[in-house]
Amino acid sequence: MKTKALYLVLGTAIISGISIFINKFAVTAIGNPFVLTTSKNIIVALILTLIVLTPLVWKKLKVLPKNDWLKLILIGLIGGSIPFLLFFKGLSLSTSVNAGFIHKTLFIWVTLLAIPFLKEKLSKIQWLALGVLLIGNYFLIGIKWSFAQADILIMAATLFWAVEFVLAKHFLKTIDPKIIAWGRMFFGAIFLLGYMFYIGQAATLLTLGASQWGFVSLAAIFLLGYVLTWYHALAKLPVTVVASVLVIASPITTGLNSIFITHKYSLNQLIGSLIILASIVMISYAYNNLRQSEKTSETV
């Protein structure tokens, strides 16, 4: 099950890397980052609603206690609405590579929260790998990166998602991953739609053209795949492992940007990608060793 979960989070990372690249085109085509994130999140929320209405999932949903419903609403606010507004506004002002780099510092903030609040343990090798991972991620964007307004918005979104990581891991102890994913997107979509009404842009959702809806739909497909694979992996693995493996998305976004936008791939980017891959292998290896040693001590 743990190995399967590692494959799931690897899939999440691939989806994330491609998604950030595509979302940059989508936000440019639509022009309004709030319209993009609201419309695609509504689509994902509707699809997940169909999933939770299936007999097996509905049976679990209808018996959820009141406290669990409050947890779903909280996830929708902290993970499914506020950070999306911040991230896509920042993405509209930045590049997909910068956005990808900042978003993938998520593992740092998740680790800092997971140790005190989830009592997760990291070996010395994992600590070393995390440091090397940050260096590799930095190599991808070079020394031209600056902390501008767009980057501040993306960083704020990343911090919100770090908090969601820890909350979701705690909530997944009693709530099915599909229901958590639905709560994130369903209540998040309600908050987003409420914000659009508040700023007087809700009607704009109805004015999108066919090509714009194409971008929205494509972005929604990747978001759907992201939340489903991510929550199922998070239910089985420590948040520090999941957040670290997600950094693989950075070289994917950078590679796509190099192929389709800049048409060049620097030595620094290659070194950074190799460092990230090596770090992920180290983290996975250290996690497996830690898990095996815990099993041995329990047997003894």
Side-chain angles (χ1 to χ4, degrees):
M1 293 299 291
K2 301 294 183 182
T3 302
K4 181 180 179 181
L6 281 172
Y7 285 130
L8 274 176
V9 73
L10 178 61
T12 307
I14 294 171
I15 291 171
S16 178
I18 299 173
S19 178
I20 292 176
F21 178 75
I22 289 175
N23 279 322
K24 178 60 182 177
F25 286 98
V27 77
T28 301
I30 292 172
N32 187 324
F34 301 149
V35 171
L36 170 62
T37 191
T38 301
S39 56
K40 73 182 180 63
N41 284 28
I42 288 175
I43 291 175
V44 174
L46 292 174
I47 295 173
L48 288 173
T49 298
L50 294 177
I51 292 175
V52 299
L53 288 177
T54 55
L56 289 178
V57 185
W58 174 249
K59 187 192 310 184
K60 299 177 183 179
L61 181 66
K62 67 180 181 180
V63 296
L64 278 184
K66 181 180 179 180
N67 284 344
D68 283 352
W69 280 99
L70 293 176
K71 292 175 183 178
L72 294 180
I73 294 172
L74 182 61
I75 283 290
L77 179 64
I78 293 178
S81 56
I82 294 176
F84 276 100
L85 293 172
L86 294 170
F87 182 83
F88 279 92
K89 179 61 177 178
L91 184 60
S92 69
L93 303 172
S94 183
T95 66
S96 60
V97 173
N98 271 22
F101 167 76
I102 299 170
H103 180 257
K104 294 309 170 289
T105 63
L106 183 66
F107 75 93
I108 300 173
W109 321 117
V110 168
T111 300
L112 292 177
L113 291 173
I115 292 174
F117 292 107
L118 296 176
K119 309 301 180 186
E120 291 197 2
K121 300 176 181 178
L122 277 78
S123 66
K124 292 180 180 179
I125 294 178
Q126 284 175 298
W127 278 113
L128 175 63
L130 289 176
V132 175
L133 190 60
L134 180 61
I135 294 172
N137 204 21
Y138 179 76
F139 262 94
L140 285 176
I141 50 88
I143 61 174
K144 294 181 180 180
W145 179 69
S146 61
F147 212 65
Q149 178 188 0
D151 302 321
I152 293 173
L153 291 172
I154 296 170
M155 177 59 77
T158 302
L159 293 176
F160 268 100
W161 277 321
V163 174
E164 181 198 12
F165 242 100
V166 176
L167 288 176
K169 180 63 177 179
H170 179 67
F171 297 164
L172 282 164
K173 294 177 181 178
T174 58
I175 306 176
D176 185 278
K178 287 185 270 309
I179 293 177
I180 289 277
W182 170 79
R184 182 204 208 220
M185 303 312 302
F186 181 80
F187 292 110
I190 292 175
F191 287 126
L192 288 173
L193 195 56
Y195 177 76
M196 294 298 286
F197 275 107
Y198 175 74
I199 63 176
Q201 295 184 13
T204 310
L205 297 170
L206 303 176
T207 64
L208 298 179
S211 61
Q212 291 175 317
W213 275 115
F215 276 110
V216 170
S217 300
L218 184 60
I221 290 172
F222 279 97
L223 178 57
L224 176 65
Y226 180 92
V227 293
L228 286 176
T229 55
W230 174 45
Y231 277 125
H232 278 85
L234 194 58
K236 303 294 183 183
L237 297 171
V239 297
T240 49
V241 174
V242 174
S244 298
V245 175
L246 284 179
V247 181
I248 293 176
S250 278
I252 293 173
T253 302
T254 303
L256 291 172
N257 191 70
S258 297
I259 294 171
F260 297 103
I261 305 298
T262 64
H263 306 296
K264 60 182 180 180
Y265 197 75
S266 69
L267 178 61
N268 277 359
Q269 290 173 327
L270 176 61
I271 293 173
S273 298
L274 293 175
I275 290 175
I276 287 174
L277 292 176
S279 301
I280 298 302
V281 171
M282 287 173 63
I283 290 170
S284 300
Y285 175 78
Y287 165 68
N288 283 329
N289 280 353
L290 181 63
R291 185 164 57 89
Q292 290 299 327
S293 63
E294 288 176 347
K295 284 184 177 179
T296 302
S297 62
E298 287 175 2
T299 302
V300 175

